[in-house]
Amino acid sequence: MADWTTTEWAIVILAFLAGLFVGMMFCTGRKWKRRYHDEAKLRTEERKRLEELERSHKHHEAELIAARARAGDTTPRDR
C-alpha cells in the first residue's frame, strides 16, 4: 500500500470536517429552532407585560395628580 500524500490527507480531513459540520446541523436544527421560537414568544409576552405596567403606572400617576389638584396642592414634586 502506498503512502498518502499531504494533499490526500488534507482532502480526507476536510471531508471529515464537512461531514461532521453537516451532521451537527441536521441533528440540532430542530432543537435550536424550537428554542428560538420559545424565546421569541417569551419576549413578546414580556413586552406586553411591560406595556401593561406602563399603562397602569400612567393611570396611577394621573390619579395622584388629580387628587393633589383637588386638595389644592399645586407645588411640583420631584421624584
Side-chain angles (χ1 to χ4, degrees), residues 33-44:
K33 189 182 294 185
R34 184 179 65 239
R35 287 182 182 174
Y36 172 77
H37 288 300
D38 290 345
E39 186 176 333
K41 183 179 175 183
L42 286 175
R43 276 195 310 268
T44 14

Side-chain angles (χ1 to χ4, degrees), residues 32-73:
W32 293 111
K33 189 182 294 185
R34 184 179 65 239
R35 287 182 182 174
Y36 172 77
H37 288 300
D38 290 345
E39 186 176 333
K41 183 179 175 183
L42 286 175
R43 276 195 310 268
T44 14
E45 291 172 359
E46 196 65 28
R47 191 176 298 123
K48 288 178 184 177
R49 182 174 168 267
L50 179 64
E51 289 171 357
E52 179 61 35
L53 286 173
E54 287 175 349
R55 276 187 296 238
S56 175
H57 176 71
K58 287 180 183 179
H59 175 70
H60 290 299
E61 195 173 60
E63 285 180 346
L64 180 63
I65 291 171
R68 286 182 182 160
R70 283 191 300 270
D73 186 11

